């Protein structure tokens, strides 16, 4: 029996020396240290050993087992994977497609407003503003609207409840800012007035209940219709491109006399006539005219000394005609497929 133990000891020593990897160490454990292993096998044979030798043999076996366990523990630590090399989370999958990063930017409508401001400030206009909530006087009366003018109708104007006043409303155009500027400044006056306006209208592809306008006003001695025409045509060429075709056409507004409208060639049919331009080949972009003498008088400006022109246009409309957009509502839906084109 002691011989068998000595034999196994040399075997274990040889095996220990041969351990070169974690797999070898595991094989060593399975061969010698498990319940069916070599050492346990010798322990089983302890029964056959005569009584007087049991103590000596048992001791030798215990020593052998301790030596084998120590050898295995030492090998296990030597070949264990260092903890820092074990990934704590799954590795990044480098085959995944990349994620697109979208950068925010100014809304196309605000870009259009900024572009218009740029064109007019370069011509020498400054920028003025006024309140969105107006009264009948500034929105209609001072602008020479007769008391029974249909534009004051409940159909078009949003009235605002304000104590016992019945004349408070959301401005229907930016023209009341003209009145405020003329009341508070002495000529020469040269400014544009961009801002939001409100009309009690059904929301369709061509009209909304809320939209933007840019108004222009120039008051000085000897201002002429020719200067008005030059200014608005120059604006249209700057905004739509130097090759745009323009048509100056007579019109009517209560606050200007004479009045006119400026048309550009239809973006769709290029003048041949189509559904968009109602077969005319032309699309209206702005209203304008010489400031009515009554309006100047209402603001304390003597029409015998001063004259002036005014113009006004919708920002959505001018933008739609520029980019060929056929539905105004698209400008308010914030659909990324539209926005990312600007
Ligand atoms: N205020 C007019 C409108 O809303 C536009 C306009 C402004 C016309 C100034 C003439 C002069 O339709």
């Amino acid at each position: 029996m002691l011989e068998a133990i000595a034999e196994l000891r040399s075997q274990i020593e040889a095996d220990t020396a041969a351990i070169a990897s974690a797999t070898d160490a595991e094989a060593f454990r399975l061969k010698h240290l498990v319940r069916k292993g070599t050492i346990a096998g010798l322990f089983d044979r302890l029964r056959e050993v005569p009584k007087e030798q049991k103590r000596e043999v048992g001791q030798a076996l215990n020593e052998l087992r301790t030596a084998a366990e120590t050898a295995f523990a030492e090998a296990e630590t030597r070949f264990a994977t260092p903890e820092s090399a074990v990934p704590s989370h799954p590795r990044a999958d480098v085959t995944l497609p990349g994620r697109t990063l979208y950068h925010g930017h100014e809304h196309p409508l605000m870009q259009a407003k900024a572009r218009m401001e740029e064109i007019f400030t370069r011509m020498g206009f400054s920028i003025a503003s006024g309140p969105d909530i107006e009264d009948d006087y500034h929105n209609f009366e001072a602008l020479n609207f007769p008391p029974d003018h249909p534009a004051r109708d409940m159909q078009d104007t949003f009235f605002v409840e304000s104590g016992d006043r019945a004349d408070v409303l959301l401005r229907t155009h930016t023209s009341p800012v003209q009145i405020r500027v003329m009341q508070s400044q002495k000529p020469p006056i040269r400014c544009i007035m961009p801002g939001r306006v409100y009309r009690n209208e059904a929301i369709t592809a061509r009209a909304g209940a809320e939209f933007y306008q840019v108004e222009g006003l120039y008051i000085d001695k000897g201002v002429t219709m020719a200067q008005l025409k030059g200014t608005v045509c120059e604006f249209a060429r700057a905004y739509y491109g130097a090759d745009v075709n323009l048509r100056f056409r007579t019109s009517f507004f209560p606050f200007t006399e004479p009045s006119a409208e400026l048309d550009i060639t239809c973006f769709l049919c290029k003048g041949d006539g189509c559904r968009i331009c109602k077969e005319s080949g032309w699309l209206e972009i702005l209203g304008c005219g010489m400031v009515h003498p009554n309006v100047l008088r209402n603001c304390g400006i003597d029409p015998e000394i001063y004259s002036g022109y005014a113009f006004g246009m919708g920002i959505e409309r001018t933008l739609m005609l520029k980019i060929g957009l056929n539905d105004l509502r698209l400008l308010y839906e914030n659909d990324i497929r539209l926005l990312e084109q600007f």
Side-chain angles (χ1 to χ4, degrees), residues 172-175 178 199 213 215-216 253 255-256 287-289 310-313:
T172 59
H173 52 177
T174 40
S175 303
Q178 284 186 34
R199 290 185 193 174
Q213 283 191 336
E215 189 95 2
F253 299 101
F255 38 93
T256 48
C288 59
F311 56 83
M313 67 191 118

Side-chain angles (χ1 to χ4, degrees), residues 1-2 45-59:
M1 187 66 186
L2 286 170
R45 280 171 57 193
L46 208 52
R47 273 177 273 118
E48 307 158 13
V49 176
K51 218 175 169 192
E52 58 282 4
Q53 281 184 27
K54 268 202 167 94
R55 190 187 156 89
E56 196 189 351
V57 173
Q59 213 165 19

